[in-house]
Amino acid sequence: LGGDMVEGEDIFPGQAHEIEASVFDQACLIGPRIYTKALLALSAHFSKVDVCCVPGNHGRNSKHAAKRTNWDQVLYHSTRGWLGERMNGRIDFRIAERFWLVDRVFGRGNLLVHGHQIRGGFAGFPWYGAAKKAWGWIDAIPEKWTYLWFGHFHVPAMMTLGFRRAWANGTIESDNEYAREELAACGKPTQRLAFFDEKHGLIADHLLELT
């Protein structure tokens, strides 16, 4: 769960009038209901489901609030609480304490961030900004990683950085009036599905169109 799961009320002027539900309802009622249902469906088909969670910029309480005060984090903890005993050792939550989290699959490190830390998107997807951050995070993030995953930009993309790769996920959001008006950006809802092999690491990446 890569952040911006909750749409805040005070990120830009008038935002509270453009969202369908209050942040309380999103983070404590509607969101947990949706993700509890989804995670229980996954757990019915897999012996173990690891849920890794990082916060996004739209979950902030306001531009001036502490970074830890983030409604995405409230949603994650609420969802874990909703699941409760139904997790039964088969669903495990890892909620990031900082802006990043490293998930290991067959020993390969996957660096997860929301992506708003990447700058330079004034002319479309920030290829240079993403590469600059990725190279910097090799040393700045204390845990070793091979693959970088982020969202934020609402468009899917992939780039190769030597022996590392970086993926921008799409978004499950199909319509956003602010993005349409201010950024002239809207697109199909998409998500990535990747497969790992114990010997070779990541062996396949698929883009799922949710329409």
Side-chain angles (χ1 to χ4, degrees):
L1 303 179
D4 281 6
M5 319 304 289
V6 172
E7 180 71 14
E9 295 174 341
D10 195 26
I11 307 302
F12 59 86
Q15 185 177 15
H17 303 287
E18 294 191 13
I19 59 177
E20 297 178 14
S22 69
V23 290
F24 174 82
D25 287 337
Q26 291 179 63
C28 299
L29 300 175
I30 301 169
R33 184 182 303 121
I34 292 170
Y35 292 110
T36 293
K37 183 177 180 180
L39 293 172
L40 288 174
L42 285 171
S43 69
H45 297 281
F46 297 94
S47 59
K48 184 71 179 295
V49 177
D50 291 318
V51 187
C52 299
C53 311
V54 294
N57 58 308
H58 281 232
R60 295 178 302 178
N61 196 45
S62 72
K63 288 184 177 181
H64 309 291
K67 287 186 177 181
R68 186 167 172 79
T69 306
N70 190 297
W71 284 96
D72 285 331
Q73 303 290 69
V74 176
L75 168 63
Y76 300 146
H77 285 279
S78 294
T79 302
R80 183 167 61 181
W82 272 50
L83 283 164
E85 294 180 356
R86 286 178 290 179
M87 290 192 287
N88 197 27
R90 298 181 64 183
I91 302 177
D92 184 39
F93 269 80
R94 293 183 59 206
I95 302 174
E97 291 293 327
R98 300 178 178 85
F99 72 90
W100 59 271
L101 188 151
V102 173
D103 179 42
R104 311 206 80 81
V105 180
F106 291 132
R108 274 77 172 186
N110 294 272
L111 175 59
L112 313 176
V113 300
H114 174 63
H116 60 288
Q117 302 84 2
I118 297 170
R119 303 288 188 262
F122 63 92
F125 185 80
W127 298 101
Y128 172 77
K132 182 180 179 182
K133 282 288 188 179
W135 289 124
W137 283 332
I138 292 173
D139 291 325
I141 301 295
E143 294 187 47
K144 291 184 178 181
W145 59 272
T146 302
Y147 309 112
L148 169 63
W149 305 86
F150 58 91
H152 182 63
F153 295 99
H154 289 218
V155 294
M158 188 275 283
M159 61 194 306
T160 300
L161 305 163
F163 291 101
R164 289 176 170 81
R165 282 187 177 174
W167 283 269
N169 200 4
T171 174
I172 60 175
E173 184 178 59
S174 59
D175 189 59
N176 183 308
E177 196 62 26
Y178 175 79
R180 190 195 318 277
E181 180 179 1
E182 299 296 331
L183 307 176
C186 283
K188 292 182 178 180
T190 59
Q191 289 285 274
R192 307 202 85 103
L193 174 64
F195 290 87
F196 283 73
D197 174 80
E198 188 169 7
K199 181 179 179 181
H200 301 289
L202 194 145
I203 58 172
D205 165 51
H206 298 272
L207 186 65
L208 306 182
E209 296 211 7
L210 304 182
T211 51

